[in-house]
Amino acid sequence: MTIFTRAVVGATAARPVKSLITETKPGLALAKKFVAGDTLDEAVEVGRDLNKRGFLLSLDLLGEEVHDKVSAEAALHEYMDCLERIDAAGLDANISVKLTQLGLSIDEGLARHAVEQLANRAAAAGTTVTVDMEDSRFTGQTVDIYADVQASIGHLGIAIQAYMKRTPDDLERLIPLGGHIRLCKGAYVESSEVALGVKAAVDGAYQEYLKVLMAAEGTKPAVATHDPRLIEAARSLSPQRISYFEFQMLYGVRSDLQESLVSEGFPVRIYLPFGSQWYPYLTRRMGERPANMWFFARALFSSSP
């Protein structure tokens, strides 16, 4: 997370700023660029359109870390409903889940049981569950839960962050388990003890891990980036890749690039967030690209009396 992104996220935490974004037409218009809607029904409709245009999907129920069992169980039920709808609607989609939303910070066993239930339901629906990676407090537990459930049930994937210093060891452990591995740069503020802090170093690590994944036939690489240089690196490695791999990108981010890759025949999976708790997600998208801030500002002032 850059200094600019941290500044934007900090500023948007203020109640007046939040009200300005969540209670005005320009703010809601900006949210619509990056979030499929408040409800699963809205996400399914957006997802159908994306499927028709040749994209794969990963549905993500927005929400933060929960601190009580009732909230964790509610999130599990919503994710189970999501898998039911994917199955019923015939969507070419999987789901992405956060283990802290499923109770990891309360009880590791609670989160583990939730992942087992989701993996079994995904198997019945003919799809998969991607376990998202969160900050370093939970990395070890997340990898352990994934490894155990993937080995016993399967139908899982996991996100791995290139800037984490432990990533080479994690890849060595996880690649033989099959499934898919989503390689991303990493988005959390971490200390220099556990993570690389220089952009050039992170980009270099990403390319090295990308080579490892593209050479491994036992897993399905998911190249999660909007960085043109890293996308080109993946394209240059693709002729050497016999089995499946895909690109993954965020809904509403670099749509032109997404369309271009699909037109060239590459599989592209769109990370499609939905849910009423969209504000923290939106503020991160605003902080990542100043153009998003200007979009909101122009819309706000043009709609003022």
Side-chain angles (χ1 to χ4, degrees), residues 53 97 100 155 183 198 234 239 243 256 259 292:
R53 291 161 51 197
V97 303
T100 63
H155 296 274
L183 180 62
V198 179
S243 55
D256 57 335
E259 296 280 359
N292 296 330

Side-chain angles (χ1 to χ4, degrees), residues 70-101:
V70 172
S71 297
E73 290 175 343
L76 171 60
H77 291 152
E78 289 191 73
Y79 275 123
M80 292 290 277
D81 288 345
C82 194
L83 288 169
E84 294 281 352
R85 288 296 300 279
I86 287 172
D87 195 8
L91 291 179
D92 197 341
N94 64 19
I95 64 171
S96 294
V97 303
K98 299 176 187 65
L99 296 195
T100 63
Q101 197 178 7

Side-chain angles (χ1 to χ4, degrees), residues 76-225:
L76 171 60
H77 291 152
E78 289 191 73
Y79 275 123
M80 292 290 277
D81 288 345
C82 194
L83 288 169
E84 294 281 352
R85 288 296 300 279
I86 287 172
D87 195 8
L91 291 179
D92 197 341
N94 64 19
I95 64 171
S96 294
V97 303
K98 299 176 187 65
L99 296 195
T100 63
Q101 197 178 7
L102 296 171
L104 181 59
S105 60
I106 309 166
D107 177 6
E108 182 176 323
L110 182 65
R112 184 184 299 268
H113 182 60
V115 174
E116 291 170 344
Q117 292 184 73
L118 291 170
N120 280 316
R121 185 62 188 92
T127 188
T128 59
V129 177
T130 301
V131 178
D132 279 340
M133 193 58 69
E134 300 177 73
D135 67 69
S136 60
R137 293 175 298 159
F138 304 108
T139 304
Q141 291 172 294
T142 299
V143 169
D144 288 345
I145 290 173
Y146 169 81
D148 290 348
V149 180
Q150 174 65 7
S152 60
I153 300 174
H155 296 274
L156 296 182
I158 189 170
I160 291 294
Q161 301 175 111
Y163 74 161
M164 294 296 290
K165 293 181 178 179
R166 61 174 287 161
T167 292
D169 292 335
D170 286 337
L171 287 176
E172 185 176 357
R173 178 185 180 186
L174 298 175
I175 286 174
L177 297 175
H180 57 272
I181 295 181
R182 175 196 289 161
L183 180 62
C184 58
K185 288 186 180 182
Y188 296 91
V189 179
E190 300 287 3
S191 73
S192 59
E193 294 180 0
V194 299
L196 302 172
V198 179
K199 182 181 184 302
V202 177
D203 289 351
Y206 192 105
Q207 293 193 54
E208 287 303 311
Y209 305 147
L210 180 60
K211 291 176 184 176
V212 171
L213 285 170
M214 293 291 273
E217 295 302 326
T219 190
K220 296 177 181 178
V223 185
T225 182

